[in-house]
């Protein structure tokens, strides 16, 4: 079986790779810096630069993991007022890639980056062998993906609109007004006056015993648990897998998340087995399934 060419797009980089579906081995991984605030030509040029480095055959079906908001079925960007990729709003990204990638793909299957994450972990990672899986990514915001027997779903009971946790609310506000990089930094600045500290530094200060840092993170992650608990219970998850940059501090954050979850018999909560490659593997599996 030929290797599947894939792209994984983030806010600051795009990664291209080939994924061998025989053993889900990732090769030729190329990571290119991406300025998501640039004009459309620059952004698309970066996508193509990364993809063009792959030694893949002509006419292959590609998988592409993209962040929200995006029309995945049509391959059209709907970013607007979200602080990234605004220049792509309304653009047919699929058609642009089909025309510009030198390997001339036969088709492109787009999927959400959090969906790609949990699908990759189901194929070859922490969620393997489980039927009803929830993936939560903690980066600049909160991403979520929901799987039933390896199929992405947004229609099962309990799943938030479009499958996206950021549509949930907590304490009367959108979840990401409490749990996101910007929300945590804002809360910490309001408490301490320090507007420069990022989440990693705030976590380090909490470890060091700083009361304000611990209080901000405790509030955020208790709120995350409280917001997710009804959805995960109703969905009937048998595993929850976390990934994303904030999980570098998971030993600190998990007890607060569990306090908010308030669910002694919750299903297993695991960290991603292969956080670097899960999204790439998930995009490859999605393309092979003929989805998109």
């Amino acid at each position: 079986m030929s290797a599947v060419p894939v792209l994984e797009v983030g806010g600051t980089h795009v990664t291209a790779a080939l994924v061998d579906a025989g053993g889900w081995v990732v090769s030729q991984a190329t990571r290119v810096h991406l300025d998501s605030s640039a004009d459309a030509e620059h952004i698309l040029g970066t996508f193509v630069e990364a993809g063009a480095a792959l030694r893949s055959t002509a006419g292959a079906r590609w998988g592409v993991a993209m962040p929200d908001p995006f029309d995945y079925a049509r391959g059209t960007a709907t970013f607007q007022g979200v602080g990234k990729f605004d220049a792509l709003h309304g653009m047919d990204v699929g058609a642009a890639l089909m025309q510009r990638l030198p390997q001339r793909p036969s088709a492109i299957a787009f999927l959400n980056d959090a969906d790609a994450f949990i699908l990759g972990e189901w194929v070859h990672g922490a969620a393997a062998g489980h039927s009803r899986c929830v993936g939560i990514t903690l980066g600049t915001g909160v991403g979520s993906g929901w799987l039933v027997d390896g199929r992405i779903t947004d229609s099962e009971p309990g799943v938030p609109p479009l499958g996206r946790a950021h549509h949930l609310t907590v304490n009367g506000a959108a979840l990401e007004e409490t749990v996101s990089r910007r929300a945590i930094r804002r809360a910490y600045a309001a408490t301490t006056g320090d507007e420069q500290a990022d989440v990693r530094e705030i976590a380090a200060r909490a470890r060091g015993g700083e009361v304000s840092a611990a209080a901000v993170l405790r509030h955020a992650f208790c709120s995350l648990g409280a917001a997710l608990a009804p959805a995960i219970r109703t969905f009937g998850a048998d595993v929850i897998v976390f990934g994303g940059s904030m999980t570098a501090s998971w030993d600190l954050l998990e007890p607060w998340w569990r306090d908010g979850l308030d669910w002694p018999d919750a299903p297993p909560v695991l960290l991603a087995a292969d956080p670097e490659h899960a999204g790439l593997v998930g995009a490859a599996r999605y393309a092979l399934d003929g989805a998109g």
Side-chain angles (χ1 to χ4, degrees), residues 66-85:
M66 292 281 293
D68 272 333
F70 194 87
D71 186 330
Y72 298 99
R74 292 183 170 84
T76 303
T78 55
F79 304 102
Q80 192 171 33
V82 294
K84 60 183 179 183
F85 304 126

Side-chain angles (χ1 to χ4, degrees), residues 33-257:
H33 174 73
L34 174 63
D35 181 0
S36 61
S37 64
D39 60 46
E41 186 62 30
H42 181 86
I43 294 171
L44 288 172
T46 305
F47 295 173
V48 172
E49 176 189 351
L54 299 180
R55 297 187 298 277
S56 65
T57 58
R61 184 180 181 88
W62 288 52
V64 179
M66 292 281 293
D68 272 333
F70 194 87
D71 186 330
Y72 298 99
R74 292 183 170 84
T76 303
T78 55
F79 304 102
Q80 192 171 33
V82 294
K84 60 183 179 183
F85 304 126
D86 283 1
L88 296 182
H89 179 70
M91 182 168 292
D92 189 335
V93 177
L97 291 177
M98 295 275 286
Q99 293 165 4
R100 298 187 188 197
L101 284 167
Q103 300 92 335
R104 297 300 183 189
S106 63
I108 297 177
F110 289 93
L111 76 166
N112 176 264
D113 52 356
D115 287 335
F117 163 76
I118 188 57
L119 182 56
E121 285 292 314
W122 180 82
V123 167
H124 191 64
H130 292 274
S131 175
R132 303 182 71 84
C133 314
V134 178
I136 305 295
T137 57
L138 303 172
T140 55
V142 181
S144 67
W146 309 73
L147 294 186
V148 177
D149 297 326
R151 297 288 177 175
I152 299 164
T153 182
D154 62 7
S155 59
E156 289 280 319
V159 177
L162 303 177
R164 307 294 160 236
H166 64 74
H167 290 301
L168 298 173
T169 60
V170 64
N171 300 322
L175 177 62
E176 290 190 347
E177 291 304 310
T178 301
V179 191
S180 64
R181 176 174 177 261
R182 69 178 184 279
I184 290 169
R185 295 185 68 192
R186 182 176 62 232
Y188 186 72
T191 301
T192 66
D194 183 350
E195 299 180 352
Q196 303 305 313
D198 214 331
V199 176
R200 187 180 296 271
E201 187 175 358
I202 296 168
R205 293 177 185 179
R207 289 185 193 282
E210 184 184 297
V211 173
S212 295
V216 166
L217 293 174
R218 182 184 300 111
H219 174 70
F221 283 87
C222 282
S223 298
L224 179 64
L228 286 172
I232 294 173
R233 280 178 181 271
T234 303
F235 177 68
D238 54 19
V239 70
I240 307 164
V241 182
F242 277 86
S245 58
M246 288 191 200
T247 59
S249 304
W250 191 237
D251 61 316
L252 175 73
L253 304 175
E254 182 182 11
W256 295 327
W257 180 76

